[in-house]
Amino acid sequence: MESSSVDKLSALINELPKQPWYGADLYNWKGFWYRPHHLSSTMAASSNFQAKDDDVILTSSMKTGTTWMKAIIPTIMNPVGRTDDDSLDPLLKHHPNELIPSLEIQVYSVNPHPDLSNMVSPRLFRTHMAYPLLPESIKTSGCKIVYITRDPKDTFVSTCHFMNSVIAARGVEPWPMSEAFESFCKGVHTFGPFHDHVLGYWKESLKRPEKICFMRYEDMKKDPKGEVKKLACFLGRPFEKDQEVEKVVWRCSLERLKNLEMNQHGVDPWLGIDYKHYFRRGIVGDWKNHFTDEMKEKLEQLTAMKFEGSGLSLGY
Ligand SMILES: Nc1ncnc2c1ncn2[C@@H]1O[C@H](COP(=O)(O)OS(=O)(=O)O)[C@@H](OP(=O)(O)O)[C@H]1O
């Protein structure tokens, strides 16, 4: 980016409301909270990305099952991923982050006008952008959106573990969960407010179910085969045989992925943390090991209040 654009961007960012989160400042842009490096690439992607009709865009707030989908979507879409021959599975050599690039972290963080002309279609991308911030072309083209979300209590616990790993890599002490919880409930956390993020995609998925496939982590845990089958139909790649679905579910399972060499010992070049931090317990209800009764009550009441009248429920 030219230095004048960098100066303008820094000036703009400095005008935005700011709040602390895990040892850094988050900035509020158009109602959602971002780290500065995410914000500049989000702004660039939001105004410059041109979607194609056959693109697939994975969207989520953080720690809701994105990595699972980062493995599943390329496996469904890529003929190599679907072959019977396990030795050809790209997940053997690549962390799921490498199979579906992030608009903010990989594509637009380096250059606000990246050259995407060499990408083979159908192109797959992921983003943590909230629905209102999505590039207009994603909303108006024929591209498909897959949104995944999760019980906010488990999302919060997973976020705390991940963020403490991120700051530990920089030698920073863990942030007390009680402080992070108060911030999360105020909506101040990366890509938050969580409830607004979810509602944006939920409401749009009700209006346009052929455009947005709205998925829940808990449904995936309960019936992975059924959910993967539905997703494959939504993406226009239905399975012919049950064994094919079983294979995708197994290849993308937490048990398999977390034990692969790449995911145990590889390092995320963008965040500077070990890839292993993307794979933890992967259970429904881990919040029970961390929450007090008051925390449960507070977050469930907040969720019920925010989702009231929307027809959506998550974890209460
Ligand atoms: N394959 C697979 N199957 C089931 N669950 C999985 C899988 N991969 C990651 N996980 C669990 O998802 C949690 C991480 O969330 P995200 O992948 O959304 O994180 S990120 O936003 O992409 O950084 C995190 O959940 P917690 O274990 O509760 O922390 C991961 O363990």
Side-chain angles (χ1 to χ4, degrees):
M1 232 191 287
E2 285 177 20
S3 61
S4 62
S5 320
V6 173
D7 292 345
K8 271 193 216 151
L9 193 61
S10 315
L12 171 64
I13 289 178
N14 283 330
E15 302 265 294
L16 299 175
K18 178 170 87 164
Q19 289 289 333
W21 173 253
Y22 281 90
D25 284 329
L26 297 183
Y27 293 83
N28 191 295
W29 186 57
K30 298 189 178 179
F32 293 88
W33 293 96
Y34 286 91
R35 301 282 286 263
H37 67 284
H38 263 130
L39 181 54
S40 48
S41 47
T42 297
M43 288 171 166
S46 186
S47 23
N48 301 332
F49 178 70
Q50 287 304 318
K52 291 185 179 176
D53 287 339
D54 56 355
D55 286 346
V56 176
I57 318 285
L58 167 63
T59 57
S60 61
S61 54
M62 66 183 280
K63 301 297 150 195
T64 57
T66 325
T67 307
W68 203 355
M69 289 296 136
K70 291 173 209 165
I72 289 174
I73 293 173
T75 306
I76 290 175
M77 296 301 291
N78 182 343
V80 179
R82 279 176 94 144
T83 116
D84 264 358
D85 185 349
D86 287 333
S87 70
L88 295 176
D89 177 11
L91 287 164
L92 283 175
K93 297 220 176 83
H94 298 276
H95 181 276
N97 278 3
E98 297 168 9
L99 300 183
I100 173 163
S102 156
L103 284 180
E104 303 93 308
I105 299 180
Q106 285 151 281
V107 184
Y108 282 90
S109 62
V110 181
N111 180 346
H113 299 284
D115 178 10
L116 303 177
S117 59
N118 288 334
M119 275 188 90
V120 177
S121 287
R123 307 180 307 175
L124 313 179
F125 296 101
R126 64 187 152 95
T127 177
H128 287 305
M129 270 182 251
Y131 188 79
L133 307 191
L134 282 182
E136 224 22 59
S137 64
I138 292 187
K139 296 179 187 169
T140 54
S141 71
C143 77
K144 299 212 168 187
I145 298 174
V146 178
Y147 185 74
I148 178 120
T149 190
R150 185 181 192 184
D151 180 342
K153 303 191 291 306
D154 283 333
T155 302
F156 169 72
V157 169
S158 184
T159 300
C160 291
H161 281 98
F162 187 80
M163 289 309 299
N164 278 329
S165 311
V166 170
I167 62 175
R170 299 189 201 123
V172 177
E173 291 287 305
W175 206 32
M177 194 179 260
S178 54
E179 285 180 38
F181 184 74
E182 288 311 312
S183 192
F184 188 88
C185 289
K186 287 186 197 133
V188 181
H189 54 97
T190 323
F191 315 116
F194 174 86
H195 299 92
D196 296 351
H197 203 287
V198 178
L199 276 175
Y201 284 96
W202 169 249
K203 288 182 180 162
E204 203 55 34
S205 75
L206 294 179
K207 284 189 224 152
R208 296 197 289 166
E210 72 298 340
K211 170 85 178 171
I212 304 184
C213 179
F214 187 94
M215 304 187 69
R216 292 175 181 83
Y217 188 85
E218 293 75 20
D219 296 338
M220 278 291 298
K221 289 296 288 191
K222 201 166 157 195
D223 180 16
K225 267 177 62 183
E227 291 298 301
V228 167
K229 258 192 202 172
K230 273 194 259 169
L231 178 59
C233 289
F234 170 80
L235 294 172
R237 297 279 207 282
F239 291 101
E240 279 164 24
K241 298 188 207 125
D242 245 27
Q243 293 99 299
E244 290 178 317
V245 190
E246 275 159 22
K247 186 145 264 207
V248 172
V249 169
W250 171 72
R251 278 187 182 160
C252 300
S253 64
L254 182 61
E255 297 67 29
R256 176 177 185 252
L257 293 182
K258 83 193 294 188
N259 290 314
L260 293 176
E261 172 69 23
M262 175 69 183
N263 299 332
Q264 288 212 326
H265 302 295
V267 176
D268 180 338
W270 303 93
L271 284 184
I273 55 159
D274 293 343
Y275 274 146
K276 66 178 185 214
H277 295 302
Y278 286 87
F279 309 97
R280 208 178 55 89
R281 302 193 66 192
I283 59 168
V284 172
D286 192 29
W287 60 270
K288 291 177 192 153
N289 298 313
H290 300 275
F291 272 39
T292 60
D293 290 346
E294 291 74 38
M295 287 166 80
K296 170 188 183 292
E297 201 60 24
K298 181 167 176 170
L299 192 43
E300 288 189 350
Q301 271 184 16
L302 177 69
T303 304
M305 193 255 291
K306 289 272 190 181
F307 290 171
E308 195 183 353
S310 70
L312 175 63
S313 66
L314 283 182
Y316 61 91

mmCIF file of all heavy atoms in Angstrom, residues 29-30 56 140 151 156 162 194 242 244 258 263 282 289:
data_model
loop_
_atom_site.group_PDB
_atom_site.id
_atom_site.type_symbol
_atom_site.label_atom_id
_atom_site.label_comp_id
_atom_site.label_asym_id
_atom_site.label_seq_id
_atom_site.Cartn_x
_atom_site.Cartn_y
_atom_site.Cartn_z
ATOM 1 N N TRP A 29 -15.585 -0.951 13.925
ATOM 2 C CA TRP A 29 -15.892 -0.427 12.590
ATOM 3 C C TRP A 29 -17.260 -0.926 12.169
ATOM 4 O O TRP A 29 -17.487 -2.139 12.146
ATOM 5 C CB TRP A 29 -14.818 -0.880 11.590
ATOM 6 C CG TRP A 29 -14.983 -0.265 10.223
ATOM 7 C CD1 TRP A 29 -15.031 1.058 9.926
ATOM 8 C CD2 TRP A 29 -15.121 -0.970 8.983
ATOM 9 N NE1 TRP A 29 -15.181 1.230 8.567
ATOM 10 C CE2 TRP A 29 -15.239 0.011 7.964
ATOM 11 C CE3 TRP A 29 -15.129 -2.317 8.624
ATOM 12 C CZ2 TRP A 29 -15.383 -0.326 6.611
ATOM 13 C CZ3 TRP A 29 -15.268 -2.646 7.280
ATOM 14 C CH2 TRP A 29 -15.404 -1.656 6.294
ATOM 15 N N LYS A 30 -18.165 -0.003 11.936
ATOM 16 C CA LYS A 30 -19.522 -0.330 11.498
ATOM 17 C C LYS A 30 -20.199 -1.355 12.409
ATOM 18 O O LYS A 30 -20.866 -2.286 11.948
ATOM 19 C CB LYS A 30 -19.522 -0.827 10.052
ATOM 20 C CG LYS A 30 -19.010 0.226 9.076
ATOM 21 C CD LYS A 30 -19.209 -0.202 7.640
ATOM 22 C CE LYS A 30 -18.738 0.895 6.686
ATOM 23 N NZ LYS A 30 -18.870 0.551 5.291
ATOM 24 N N VAL A 56 -17.483 -20.164 -3.358
ATOM 25 C CA VAL A 56 -18.092 -20.604 -2.091
ATOM 26 C C VAL A 56 -17.378 -19.843 -0.973
ATOM 27 O O VAL A 56 -16.145 -19.820 -0.914
ATOM 28 C CB VAL A 56 -17.913 -22.125 -1.877
ATOM 29 C CG1 VAL A 56 -18.460 -22.534 -0.513
ATOM 30 C CG2 VAL A 56 -18.609 -22.907 -2.989
ATOM 31 N N THR A 140 -24.694 -10.053 -3.849
ATOM 32 C CA THR A 140 -25.541 -9.956 -5.045
ATOM 33 C C THR A 140 -25.226 -10.999 -6.121
ATOM 34 O O THR A 140 -26.062 -11.258 -6.973
ATOM 35 C CB THR A 140 -25.403 -8.555 -5.690
ATOM 36 O OG1 THR A 140 -24.018 -8.314 -5.913
ATOM 37 C CG2 THR A 140 -25.975 -7.472 -4.790
ATOM 38 N N ASP A 151 -23.024 -22.724 20.247
ATOM 39 C CA ASP A 151 -23.443 -22.219 21.558
ATOM 40 C C ASP A 151 -22.431 -21.160 22.018
ATOM 41 O O ASP A 151 -21.225 -21.444 22.102
ATOM 42 C CB ASP A 151 -23.467 -23.408 22.534
ATOM 43 C CG ASP A 151 -23.883 -23.001 23.954
ATOM 44 O OD1 ASP A 151 -23.822 -21.804 24.297
ATOM 45 O OD2 ASP A 151 -24.245 -23.911 24.716
ATOM 46 N N PHE A 156 -17.219 -19.020 23.691
ATOM 47 C CA PHE A 156 -16.433 -18.162 24.574
ATOM 48 C C PHE A 156 -15.255 -18.943 25.186
ATOM 49 O O PHE A 156 -14.112 -18.465 25.187
ATOM 50 C CB PHE A 156 -17.330 -17.569 25.672
ATOM 51 C CG PHE A 156 -16.544 -16.907 26.754
ATOM 52 C CD1 PHE A 156 -15.904 -15.695 26.509
ATOM 53 C CD2 PHE A 156 -16.389 -17.506 27.996
ATOM 54 C CE1 PHE A 156 -15.119 -15.100 27.494
ATOM 55 C CE2 PHE A 156 -15.613 -16.922 28.975
ATOM 56 C CZ PHE A 156 -14.974 -15.715 28.726
ATOM 57 N N PHE A 162 -7.845 -20.232 22.963
ATOM 58 C CA PHE A 162 -7.071 -19.872 21.768
ATOM 59 C C PHE A 162 -6.326 -18.549 21.979
ATOM 60 O O PHE A 162 -5.137 -18.441 21.698
ATOM 61 C CB PHE A 162 -8.013 -19.772 20.561
ATOM 62 C CG PHE A 162 -7.304 -19.563 19.261
ATOM 63 C CD1 PHE A 162 -6.709 -20.628 18.596
ATOM 64 C CD2 PHE A 162 -7.217 -18.302 18.683
ATOM 65 C CE1 PHE A 162 -6.052 -20.442 17.387
ATOM 66 C CE2 PHE A 162 -6.561 -18.106 17.474
ATOM 67 C CZ PHE A 162 -5.982 -19.175 16.823
ATOM 68 N N PHE A 194 -20.918 -11.192 19.174
ATOM 69 C CA PHE A 194 -21.266 -12.531 18.698
ATOM 70 C C PHE A 194 -22.714 -12.601 18.225
ATOM 71 O O PHE A 194 -23.015 -13.080 17.128
ATOM 72 C CB PHE A 194 -21.031 -13.532 19.844
ATOM 73 C CG PHE A 194 -21.486 -14.937 19.530
ATOM 74 C CD1 PHE A 194 -20.647 -15.820 18.874
ATOM 75 C CD2 PHE A 194 -22.756 -15.371 19.890
ATOM 76 C CE1 PHE A 194 -21.071 -17.115 18.579
ATOM 77 C CE2 PHE A 194 -23.185 -16.654 19.600
ATOM 78 C CZ PHE A 194 -22.342 -17.524 18.942
ATOM 79 N N ASP A 242 -23.314 -43.757 0.328
ATOM 80 C CA ASP A 242 -23.134 -43.470 1.750
ATOM 81 C C ASP A 242 -21.660 -43.542 2.168
ATOM 82 O O ASP A 242 -21.218 -42.785 3.035
ATOM 83 C CB ASP A 242 -23.945 -44.477 2.581
ATOM 84 C CG ASP A 242 -25.035 -43.748 3.340
ATOM 85 O OD1 ASP A 242 -25.471 -42.679 2.851
ATOM 86 O OD2 ASP A 242 -25.430 -44.242 4.418
ATOM 87 N N GLU A 244 -19.157 -42.586 0.577
ATOM 88 C CA GLU A 244 -18.456 -41.325 0.248
ATOM 89 C C GLU A 244 -18.626 -40.323 1.392
ATOM 90 O O GLU A 244 -17.687 -39.634 1.771
ATOM 91 C CB GLU A 244 -19.045 -40.707 -1.023
ATOM 92 C CG GLU A 244 -18.741 -41.451 -2.286
ATOM 93 C CD GLU A 244 -19.420 -40.771 -3.492
ATOM 94 O OE1 GLU A 244 -20.595 -40.378 -3.384
ATOM 95 O OE2 GLU A 244 -18.760 -40.648 -4.515
ATOM 96 N N LYS A 258 -6.258 -33.811 14.254
ATOM 97 C CA LYS A 258 -5.350 -33.325 15.301
ATOM 98 C C LYS A 258 -4.101 -34.190 15.421
ATOM 99 O O LYS A 258 -3.086 -33.749 15.945
ATOM 100 C CB LYS A 258 -6.080 -33.136 16.641
ATOM 101 C CG LYS A 258 -6.245 -34.360 17.501
ATOM 102 C CD LYS A 258 -7.227 -34.144 18.635
ATOM 103 C CE LYS A 258 -6.778 -33.143 19.661
ATOM 104 N NZ LYS A 258 -7.690 -33.116 20.829
ATOM 105 N N ASN A 263 -0.485 -30.926 11.429
ATOM 106 C CA ASN A 263 -1.292 -30.176 12.402
ATOM 107 C C ASN A 263 -0.708 -30.238 13.814
ATOM 108 O O ASN A 263 -1.049 -29.425 14.668
ATOM 109 C CB ASN A 263 -2.737 -30.691 12.386
ATOM 110 C CG ASN A 263 -3.376 -30.500 11.031
ATOM 111 O OD1 ASN A 263 -2.999 -29.592 10.306
ATOM 112 N ND2 ASN A 263 -4.310 -31.364 10.680
ATOM 113 N N GLY A 282 -13.091 -30.107 21.268
ATOM 114 C CA GLY A 282 -14.162 -30.298 20.288
ATOM 115 C C GLY A 282 -15.382 -30.991 20.848
ATOM 116 O O GLY A 282 -15.941 -31.878 20.200
ATOM 117 N N ASN A 289 -17.201 -27.011 32.396
ATOM 118 C CA ASN A 289 -15.947 -27.137 33.147
ATOM 119 C C ASN A 289 -15.352 -25.783 33.538
ATOM 120 O O ASN A 289 -14.328 -25.736 34.213
ATOM 121 C CB ASN A 289 -14.907 -27.896 32.306
ATOM 122 C CG ASN A 289 -15.370 -29.295 31.994
ATOM 123 O OD1 ASN A 289 -15.833 -30.006 32.890
ATOM 124 N ND2 ASN A 289 -15.292 -29.694 30.727
#
